[in-house]
Amino acid sequence: FLMHVATIKGHPGESGIDFMMNAIVAILFPTVGMARGIDVIVCHPQVQVKGGELQKAARARALCMVVRSSDWKPGIGDQI
């Protein structure tokens, strides 16, 4: 069972606690690890994807949003 847990691949951005919880669930329910493996294969970022780099990042679940706060002002010398 421990070897099964050692083969589980974490998702991008997954915290250590989330990974540990998934490892415990994988010990109790081995098919969960299989489902995560299939998910990695389906969402594999190295596969050629139409739409370029943004689409590749979206399939890999590696997107984030950067937003300025409402009180943000550019610093001296900053160019926008």
Side-chain angles (χ1 to χ4, degrees), residues 54-73:
L54 184 61
Q55 190 66 24
K56 189 186 294 186
R59 284 197 61 181
R61 296 186 182 136
L63 296 178
C64 69
M65 183 182 294
V66 178
V67 181
R68 294 181 179 150
S69 65
S70 60
D71 61 341
W72 179 86
K73 294 192 181 356

Side-chain angles (χ1 to χ4, degrees), residues 2-74:
L2 294 177
M3 292 305 290
H4 172 65
V5 171
T7 63
I8 295 174
K9 183 171 173 56
H11 292 299
E14 185 176 40
S15 71
I17 293 173
D18 288 339
F19 182 78
M20 290 303 295
M21 291 301 294
N22 284 321
I24 291 169
V25 170
I27 290 173
L28 299 174
F29 305 101
T31 55
V32 171
M34 181 179 66
R36 286 174 66 98
I38 291 170
D39 186 51
V40 168
I41 292 168
V42 170
C43 295
H44 198 278
Q46 299 301 321
V47 175
Q48 293 294 331
V49 179
K50 291 182 181 178
E53 295 297 319
L54 184 61
Q55 190 66 24
K56 189 186 294 186
R59 284 197 61 181
R61 296 186 182 136
L63 296 178
C64 69
M65 183 182 294
V66 178
V67 181
R68 294 181 179 150
S69 65
S70 60
D71 61 341
W72 179 86
K73 294 192 181 356

